[in-house]
Amino acid sequence: MTCALLSRLLLLLALAAPSQGHHLGPKSRLRYSRFLDPANVMFLRWDFDLEAEVIMFELQVQTAGWVGLGVTNRYTNVGGDLVVGGVLPDGNVYFSDQHLVDEDTLTADGSQDAELQGLTEDAVYTTMRFSRPFRSCDHHDQDITSDTVRVLAAYGQDDTLKLDREHIFVKSIFLLQIIHPDDLDVPEDTIIHDLEITDFLIPEDDTTYACTFLPLPIVSEKHHIYKFEPKLAHHNETMVHHILVYACGNASALPTGISDCYGADPAFSLCSQVVLGWALGGTSYQFPDDVGISIGTSMDPQWIRLEIHYSNFYNLPGIYDSSGIRMYYTPRLRRHDMGVLQLGIFTFPIHFIPPGAQSFISYGLCKTEKFEEMNGAPLPDIQVYGYLLHTHLTGRALQAVQYRNGSQLRTICKDDSYDFNLQETRDLPARVEIKPGDELLVECHYQTLDRDFLTFAGPSTVNEMCLIFLFYYPRNNISSCMGYPDIVSVARELEEEVSDSMEAMMAMNNVEWTPENIKKAEKACKEAEQTVIIKTIDEVVGNTTGWIPDIVPIPRGPCLESTGGKVEPHDKNPVGFRAIPLALSGASMAAPRILPLVTLLFAQGTLLWLLASLQSRD
């Protein structure tokens, strides 16, 4: 009893002290919002406290019945958790932490880990606000992580708690977005400039890469681009797969017009340093307040290559498009000039993925030891602040891992629940420093259970890619650093007699892709020597070789103990579990915050009195 009282008093002292964290309460303004269904019936607001590892949701639904919100996985809603609540006709509320036993049945969790903050019903909406830990100690609750989260939402038209598949929706959301756009500076002297393809007739082919070369704005002094967003024709949104803007180092020999980026004319593939990128599911992106893309100096590009990838899966004729990128720039300069470093696996058919694979892992290595030599000038440490992940339809997870002096240093970024339809630029929670000599490894997971043919890397959406774009400062001349395995040694491990890379790629069609051979191929690709290709903005190419290091998994942190219900022994992971913070319990969240100094003095006096009292009792 003594320890428990002391613990609560010490926690009270901690809460009384000023804090830099973003703390939540039942009246907090929730910064993020999204509609969850095509008809805009279900509207979600949310916010989170990274320090306490607790998230707050508010779900508003056009119904007089029950509402539910939770998390599910990629493949099935069965097992997904769903917090449900509603208001009865007599005004009483009901609220429960539940999970789906099957597609049609809900049952209450043994451990109630969601905490109700408010439930109201009016003539139009039922609104439910609740908090829950990122990771509870209940195996029925799926974790809230920095991965893509598949949010499960449902509702009923009355208070009978019955699932109706027409009223169940799943939407992929990146919930733990670190920087909110409203928190960023918006210069008053902003200038807008569009980089776009005009009235382009989309071919009736499945895949088209259209490229054109455009000048950047002409300015008399240095400016910074600080924000960009896609400019999409409304009826063509589903056809535009991605838009990339490449900086051109030498603009003297650029072609005119619009043509296939990677077709008969190699000039349309010139310029390889990505400076801006948007992909399916992304929205606008504003850089942190201290970084921007420099334009207007002798060191800056004057021209760019605009690349738009169209996916016309239904081979529709006669569709014209004028999509592109809208840039926002300002003469109010920022502290750092930013750049983009492209990592991953070199995109050509040496990278293959077998059919029928439950899981297949590919690796692309980057060695930075030659960066300074190829940069042509001393290379300061790279400070990474954001990233964009990219695979095609069979991609399931990606991560970039950093090594220094032969030892794993950190995971820079990852997404274990990657969704092809939600590709967006994301901010890191803390900036990551890359030093010359570090190695960077990209790992991509694929699943091809629905394919009976080999998948090769390539530009089409039915091909594959394994790319991670790192947003960093200060800018240098390195545009990409990507690896690929020795395909000849891989083929020979699969008992194919080959003498060169072309034969080796062709030989993959001869392999019987049993689960054993799939694992053998994965192991051979990991253990093969990698060729690392490094390119600069001026199209200078260098290469080196290396070997894929092992990746040590990051252990999961402690779970958060529930304030209600039971915790099963197997739910307590090896690193233990922790009590829910007092500040997040219902009573303390409803109570107003007392002035910190007054509370601190009061708590100190109470603690001294209690200690003296306990000593006298002993």
Side-chain angles (χ1 to χ4, degrees):
M1 183 66 178
T2 301
C3 292
L5 286 171
L6 287 175
S7 296
R8 293 183 71 83
L9 281 170
L10 289 172
L11 186 55
L12 178 62
L13 286 171
L15 292 171
S19 171
Q20 303 300 317
H22 176 67
H23 294 292
L24 302 173
K27 302 297 184 182
S28 298
R29 179 181 72 89
L30 305 185
R31 297 176 297 163
Y32 303 95
S33 61
R34 195 76 50 89
F35 280 106
L36 300 179
D37 64 308
N40 294 344
V41 170
M42 311 184 77
F43 187 62
L44 176 67
R45 295 183 180 92
W46 78 94
D47 209 337
F48 50 88
D49 185 333
L50 281 176
E51 294 178 7
E53 297 186 359
V54 168
I55 190 165
M56 183 89 74
F57 292 111
E58 182 179 276
L59 180 64
Q60 185 177 72
V61 185
Q62 295 181 31
T63 183
W66 64 272
V67 299
L69 186 79
V71 179
T72 187
N73 62 43
R74 177 190 299 271
Y75 304 106
T76 177
N77 293 337
V78 175
D81 63 79
L82 196 69
V83 175
V84 299
V87 181
L88 293 169
D90 61 6
N92 288 319
V93 303
Y94 53 96
F95 178 78
S96 179
D97 182 6
Q98 307 213 5
H99 62 276
L100 278 75
V101 178
D102 55 42
E103 292 284 357
D104 303 302
T105 309
L106 281 166
T107 189
D109 295 359
S111 175
Q112 292 292 299
D113 300 283
E115 185 162 348
L116 181 63
Q117 305 297 334
L119 240 173
T120 61
E121 182 183 301
D122 58 26
V124 181
Y125 300 106
T126 295
T127 304
M128 175 176 69
R129 180 185 277 224
F130 67 92
S131 63
R132 58 150 288 185
F134 289 178
R135 181 173 179 235
S136 76
C137 297
D138 180 2
H139 69 281
H140 290 304
D141 295 335
Q142 300 203 28
D143 295 351
I144 304 293
T145 68
S146 58
D147 302 327
T148 297
V149 175
R150 286 166 176 80
V151 174
L152 173 66
Y155 70 95
Q157 294 179 317
D158 56 34
D159 292 306
T160 304
L161 198 57
K162 181 180 179 182
L163 292 171
D164 180 348
R165 298 188 187 188
E166 292 185 0
H167 297 154
I168 299 175
F169 303 93
V170 176
K171 190 173 187 69
S172 290
I173 303 177
F174 180 56
L175 290 173
L176 302 186
Q177 181 179 337
I178 302 302
I179 299 177
H180 191 281
D182 290 348
D183 300 331
L184 297 171
D185 178 47
V186 178
E188 295 179 359
D189 46 8
T190 293
I191 307 165
I192 297 174
H193 182 80
D194 291 337
L195 300 168
E196 61 185 358
I197 287 177
T198 304
D199 293 329
F200 174 68
L201 178 60
I202 301 174
E204 297 174 35
D205 302 325
D206 291 349
T207 298
T208 299
Y209 276 71
C211 276
T212 191
F213 294 87
L214 300 169
L216 284 169
I218 299 174
V219 290
S220 59
E221 60 182 358
K222 181 173 180 174
H223 286 59
H224 268 140
I225 301 169
Y226 70 90
K227 178 183 176 181
F228 67 91
E229 63 190 17
K231 188 179 180 185
L232 304 173
H234 177 69
H235 60 285
N236 296 337
E237 286 181 355
T238 57
M239 286 190 177
V240 180
H241 173 274
H242 75 239
I243 305 173
L244 293 176
V245 176
Y246 298 85
C248 295
N250 182 359
S252 62
L254 300 179
T256 59
I258 304 172
S259 186
D260 188 342
C261 304
Y262 308 105
D265 187 349
F268 279 89
S269 64
L270 292 174
C271 310
S272 61
Q273 177 146 37
V274 175
V275 290
L276 296 173
W278 171 90
L280 194 65
T283 55
S284 65
Y285 178 73
Q286 184 168 334
F287 305 127
D289 288 341
D290 59 342
V291 299
I293 299 173
S294 176
I295 58 173
T297 78
S298 59
M299 301 296 293
D300 299 327
Q302 296 178 345
W303 286 73
I304 60 94
R305 173 165 66 96
L306 178 66
E307 171 185 298
I308 303 183
H309 175 190
Y310 296 98
S311 293
N312 189 357
F313 283 137
Y314 297 104
N315 310 119
L316 302 175
I319 296 180
Y320 288 84
D321 185 60
S322 296
S323 294
I325 291 285
R326 171 163 287 178
M327 309 182 319
Y328 297 76
Y329 65 101
T330 173
R332 190 185 306 176
L333 298 183
R334 287 152 180 249
R335 184 176 180 183
H336 303 292
D337 295 340
M338 61 149 288
V340 181
L341 177 63
Q342 182 175 330
L343 305 175
I345 303 175
F346 205 78
T347 305
F348 69 137
I350 279 179
H351 178 208
F352 71 92
I353 302 147
Q358 174 68 40
S359 173
F360 188 83
I361 305 175
S362 300
Y363 302 90
L365 179 66
C366 168
K367 299 181 71 173
T368 68
E369 59 193 24
K370 286 193 173 185
F371 274 21
E372 187 157 290
E373 172 191 339
M374 295 187 64
N375 187 53
L379 190 72
D381 294 342
I382 293 171
Q383 309 293 328
V384 181
Y385 67 86
Y387 61 97
L388 172 66
L389 311 176
H390 183 65
T391 76
H392 288 176
L393 297 172
T394 69
R396 295 294 180 267
L398 302 86
Q399 66 173 328
V401 184
Q402 181 183 10
Y403 299 81
R404 184 172 296 161
N405 300 323
S407 298
Q408 182 174 322
L409 187 61
R410 62 170 65 88
T411 297
I412 298 175
C413 57
K414 73 173 188 68
D415 192 339
D416 287 335
S417 300
Y418 175 81
D419 187 339
F420 172 80
N421 294 305
L422 184 65
Q423 301 179 50
E424 55 191 351
T425 302
R426 299 176 178 178
D427 297 295
L428 291 173
R431 296 182 180 182
V432 170
E433 185 174 76
I434 299 173
K435 293 182 174 294
D438 287 356
E439 292 188 356
L440 308 172
L441 179 63
V442 173
E443 177 191 75
C444 290
H445 290 237
Y446 302 95
Q447 186 186 83
T448 57
L449 290 175
D450 59 343
R451 297 193 177 188
D452 57 6
F453 55 89
L454 274 166
T455 300
F456 289 102
S460 171
T461 307
V462 295
N463 295 136
E464 261 309 337
M465 292 186 177
C466 175
L467 300 174
I468 294 181
F469 300 88
L470 298 183
F471 291 71
Y472 72 90
Y473 64 85
R475 179 186 66 184
N476 60 56
N477 291 324
I478 308 300
S479 62
S480 63
C481 180
M482 297 185 286
Y484 63 89
D486 177 3
I487 191 68
V488 173
S489 70
V490 173
R492 289 174 178 169
E493 286 294 320
L494 293 169
E495 300 178 0
E496 297 292 330
E497 295 296 328
V498 298
S499 58
D500 57 36
S501 296
M502 183 60 70
E503 283 187 5
M505 286 188 292
M506 298 298 293
M508 295 302 149
N509 291 295
N510 302 329
V511 177
E512 182 184 357
W513 289 111
T514 63
E516 294 75 22
N517 279 338
I518 290 172
K519 286 302 172 187
K520 185 185 288 187
E522 180 182 88
K523 183 173 183 289
C525 288
K526 182 182 179 184
E527 294 178 352
E529 185 176 46
Q530 284 244 332
T531 297
V532 180
I533 304 293
I534 305 163
K535 296 182 73 174
T536 73
I537 188 174
D538 296 313
E539 303 301 314
V540 175
V541 179
N543 62 75
T544 184
T545 58
W547 304 89
I548 300 298
D550 289 331
I551 297 176
V552 179
I554 300 173
R556 298 169 71 190
C559 57
L560 196 60
E561 183 184 9
S562 171
T563 56
K566 61 181 180 180
V567 177
E568 302 294 343
H570 63 270
D571 291 335
K572 302 175 185 179
N573 78 339
V575 296
F577 66 101
R578 58 195 176 88
I580 190 166
L582 179 63
L584 297 166
S585 68
S588 62
M589 291 190 74
R593 292 291 297 269
I594 305 173
L595 291 174
L597 181 60
V598 175
T599 306
L600 182 60
L601 293 173
F602 172 78
Q604 285 177 331
T606 304
L607 179 60
L608 292 173
W609 172 84
L610 180 62
L611 286 172
S613 175
L614 290 172
Q615 287 173 349
S616 65
R617 291 181 185 181
D618 291 341

